[in-house]
Amino acid sequence: MDEDSSVIDEILKVLDGRNITILENDREGPGDPDAIIDSSFDDHFGTEDNTLNCYSRIGIIINDIDRPTPSYLILDHLLKKFPGIEQKISRVHIATGTHRGMSKTETGKILGNSSKVLIDKVHVHDALNLDQHVNIG
């Protein structure tokens, strides 16, 4: 008996005799992530004369390792879709909120292949370091 079967058996023992309904999800997943990301960039930016060309410096905000956002995929597509944009990216802010900080390994994981060109531009937010915050009223 494998570990999953053992856990399921234990759950069934607890639920035995109770009036429960098991709902099954028969919906398909969202589809191919690469196609979805490409489509999102196409829908938003449309032409080569896009919003990103208006700026000399760009900041990017991504989630920390505790969120399931596929930031590495999005960043990879961004760098491919807009060649040379890495030169305009001045900072990649990792929004930790009140979560813990991240290790270099975790930072590399959420950056994926883009870590080669973006790792030196990373700033990891630290909610407990008040010197990093600005009071705006």
Side-chain angles (χ1 to χ4, degrees):
M1 177 183 294
D2 66 8
E3 187 175 327
D4 288 338
S5 297
S6 175
V7 170
I8 292 170
D9 287 343
E10 289 300 313
I11 292 170
L12 292 175
K13 284 180 192 174
V14 170
L15 297 176
D16 190 35
R18 298 205 173 133
N19 186 11
I20 62 168
T21 303
I22 297 176
L23 302 175
E24 292 190 36
N25 180 359
D26 59 354
R27 292 181 287 171
E28 289 186 31
D32 176 28
D34 292 316
I36 292 168
I37 294 168
D38 282 339
S39 173
S40 296
F41 282 140
D42 290 342
D43 289 348
H44 185 71
F45 296 109
T47 66
E48 288 303 312
D49 183 25
N50 62 60
T51 307
L52 296 178
N53 288 331
C54 299
Y55 300 99
S56 60
R57 291 178 23 180
I58 298 170
I60 294 178
I61 302 172
I62 60 176
N63 291 326
D64 63 10
I65 196 76
D66 294 321
R67 303 274 186 249
T69 307
S71 298
Y72 60 95
L73 283 178
I74 297 166
L75 291 170
D76 285 350
H77 282 267
L78 179 72
L79 295 177
K80 286 179 196 164
K81 178 80 175 171
F82 304 103
I85 195 171
E86 66 274 4
Q87 324 253 309
K88 290 185 172 190
I89 297 171
S90 59
R91 189 65 93 182
V92 177
H93 301 277
I94 299 179
T96 61
T98 58
H99 294 166
R100 63 178 174 76
M102 295 188 334
S103 70
K104 288 189 186 280
T105 302
E106 290 171 324
T107 301
K109 183 176 179 182
I110 63 173
L111 292 177
N113 293 331
S114 69
S115 67
K116 296 172 190 142
V117 295
L118 298 179
I119 194 70
D120 293 334
K121 300 177 181 191
V122 169
H123 166 76
V124 179
H125 171 257
D126 180 357
L128 301 177
N129 183 347
L130 298 180
D131 292 336
Q132 289 185 356
H133 298 217
V134 176
N135 184 350
I136 58 171

